[in-house]
Amino acid sequence: MKLTQSLLFRVIVAIILGIICSLFFPAPLARVFVTFNGLFGNFLGFFVPVLIFALITPAIASLGKGAGKWLGVTTGIAYVSTILSGLLAFGTAKLLYPHILQHGTPQAADIDAGALAPYFEVEMPAPMEVMAALLLAFTVGLGMTAVKSDTLYDAADQLRNVIMRVIEVFVIPLLPVFIFGIFLSMGMNGNLVETLTSFGTVLLLATAMTWVVLILQFLCAGVIAGRNPFVALRNMLPAYGTALGTSSSAATIPVTYKSALKNGVSESVAGFVIPLCATIHLSGSMMKITLFALSILFMSDMDISVGKVMGFIFLLGIMMIAAPGVPGGAIMAAVGLLQSSLGFDDSQVALMIAAYIAIDSFGTACNVTGDGAIAMMVNKFARGTLGDRTEASAGAAAAGSIARS
């Protein structure tokens, strides 16, 4: 909780300082930060494919190691819920953005223009393309479930821990400096007012849409479980409030568990589904990222074809399952897709990160509250029990392994 609040505070301070400093910073000093942004952006381009491989490989292997029936059912429901949230975001953007946003709104300053060109650049070629990393992660992860190599799995798990450490001690701490440089550049190039005005509207829309997602999830769960969906949603409000205050799915698990029991979910089902979904069900995060990304595409007059966006959403759903459990982890896992699938540059990625972190708690609250809806569905399908102890324990072990990420 402290880390999340600290990151949000530092990002807000970075945005404010970037705006203020753009009013009086001399160009030579501003170019120092532009140079840093170029280096940091190039590092992200190098690092993201490694991150994707390191996180997704053990996640898939973990699912395979606990390949119980209800693990597959729960994972499938969580993935479908996340994908449907993305499709809802796409439909909302197509319907509302032409009325609330303007085409051609500048999204970020051209950091290579005039006085704000970097002092120098260092090329950092990625070891592989983002799609290659994703395919390799699937191939190796699925292969490990067939071969059942504990040594290889342990190596993949340790690689994940190393990458998590890099994210925690290097990438996340430097994000505020990166965001400061972006807003400094926008302010000095005259693009700031239009960008903030337009993006403020999208922030409000994304917050409201997380509630739409929850209502739809509980309407579906209510029909399947035969319960009043609004009463069930009301019973989950303690979990929503806890997540809103902590911005942590893991910290909210005990409250989510107790709330699920109030909705008639058995202890065995709740004890399995809630911890697992806390790490693989990110419908709220999907809604935010998709709406933010499409707003940038729309305002920048970039391609928003159905095929392009659908591919992005389905791949992003996989990324959300393996998103690292650190503040800003979901958006960091999505960076590679934003760049490879949608063609985002460093400035647009920085805007995405800033917007995501600004309302991170609302996305987390949506994620964990929706876990209660999934628990109701699984409880109905399983008739209150997960079957024999072997299958239940296998699934629980996989859930614990995934939760470590």
Side-chain angles (χ1 to χ4, degrees):
M1 177 178 177
K2 290 182 179 179
L3 180 59
T4 303
Q5 292 177 337
S6 174
L7 178 60
L8 175 60
F9 174 75
R10 285 183 283 132
V11 167
I12 293 175
V13 170
I15 293 173
I16 294 174
L17 288 179
I19 295 172
I20 294 175
C21 291
S22 69
L23 301 175
F24 62 86
F25 256 36
L29 181 57
R31 289 179 64 192
V32 173
F33 292 95
V34 170
T35 302
F36 168 81
N37 277 18
L39 295 174
F40 189 74
N42 287 344
F43 174 78
L44 288 181
F46 159 81
F47 180 68
V48 165
V50 181
L51 178 148
I52 290 172
F53 175 77
L55 297 183
I56 292 182
T57 300
I60 293 175
S62 296
L63 291 174
K65 282 178 174 290
K69 172 183 176 181
W70 298 113
L71 176 65
V73 170
T74 305
T75 303
I77 295 174
Y79 181 74
V80 170
S81 174
T82 302
I83 293 301
L84 291 178
S85 178
L87 296 177
L88 177 61
F90 184 31
T92 301
K94 294 285 284 186
L95 179 65
L96 297 182
Y97 282 178
H99 304 288
I100 64 176
L101 300 178
Q102 294 181 352
H103 275 297
T105 302
Q107 285 307 296
D110 182 358
I111 62 175
D112 295 322
L116 292 184
Y119 284 112
F120 62 90
E121 297 179 354
V122 177
E123 294 296 328
M124 303 180 192
M128 67 185 80
E129 298 290 336
V130 170
M131 186 56 64
L134 185 60
L135 292 174
L136 184 61
F138 266 92
T139 303
V140 176
L142 291 174
M144 280 194 285
T145 65
V147 175
K148 301 187 183 302
S149 171
D150 292 335
T151 301
L152 187 58
Y153 177 78
D154 289 342
D157 194 45
Q158 291 175 10
L159 176 61
R160 174 175 57 189
N161 293 337
V162 170
I163 295 302
M164 286 287 294
R165 187 64 176 167
V166 173
I167 294 173
E168 291 172 350
V169 304
F170 181 74
V171 176
I172 297 297
L174 288 179
L175 282 180
V177 182
F178 185 54
I179 292 170
F180 168 83
I182 292 297
F183 279 85
L184 175 68
S185 297
M186 284 193 294
M188 296 186 70
N189 283 269
N191 295 334
L192 189 59
V193 175
E194 288 180 287
T195 300
L196 292 183
T197 301
S198 299
F199 233 69
T201 303
V202 179
L203 288 176
L204 294 176
L205 175 63
T207 302
M209 286 304 297
T210 58
W211 268 99
V212 174
V213 169
L214 286 176
I215 292 173
L216 293 176
Q217 286 174 340
F218 277 88
L219 284 174
C220 182
V223 170
I224 293 174
R227 291 183 172 273
N228 186 317
F230 298 102
V231 172
L233 181 56
R234 183 186 65 192
N235 289 337
M236 294 300 300
L237 288 181
Y240 185 91
T242 303
L244 202 63
T246 63
S247 293
S248 171
S249 297
T252 312
I253 286 176
V255 181
T256 311
Y257 173 81
K258 292 181 180 179
S259 298
L261 296 181
K262 292 182 180 179
N263 285 331
V265 179
S266 69
E267 292 184 1
S268 63
V269 172
F272 169 68
V273 173
I274 297 303
L276 177 61
C277 285
T279 58
I280 68 173
H281 180 228
L282 285 86
S283 56
S285 299
M286 170 67 85
M287 173 61 68
K288 292 191 305 175
I289 292 175
T290 304
L291 283 177
F292 295 157
L294 292 178
S295 69
I296 291 179
L297 291 176
F298 183 88
M299 291 187 289
S300 301
D301 286 326
M302 298 170 68
D303 178 33
I304 317 182
S305 64
V306 174
K308 180 178 182 178
V309 176
M310 292 287 285
F312 170 75
I313 290 173
F314 279 90
L315 289 176
L316 183 60
I318 298 173
M319 297 297 188
M320 292 299 94
I321 291 178
V326 296
I331 187 62
M332 290 308 304
V335 165
L337 280 181
L338 292 172
Q339 294 173 328
S340 64
S341 296
L342 301 184
F344 277 25
D345 60 24
D346 293 343
S347 299
Q348 291 166 331
V349 168
L351 282 174
M352 286 287 299
I353 294 172
Y356 183 92
I357 293 174
I359 60 170
D360 186 33
S361 58
F362 287 95
T364 302
C366 178
N367 294 339
V368 301
T369 306
D371 296 346
I374 294 179
M376 291 171 59
M377 298 181 204
V378 175
N379 188 74
K380 177 64 176 180
F381 296 146
R383 298 180 181 179
T385 179
L386 295 178
D388 60 46
R389 293 184 178 181
T390 301
E391 183 177 82
S393 62
S401 179
I402 296 173
R404 289 200 302 271
S405 66

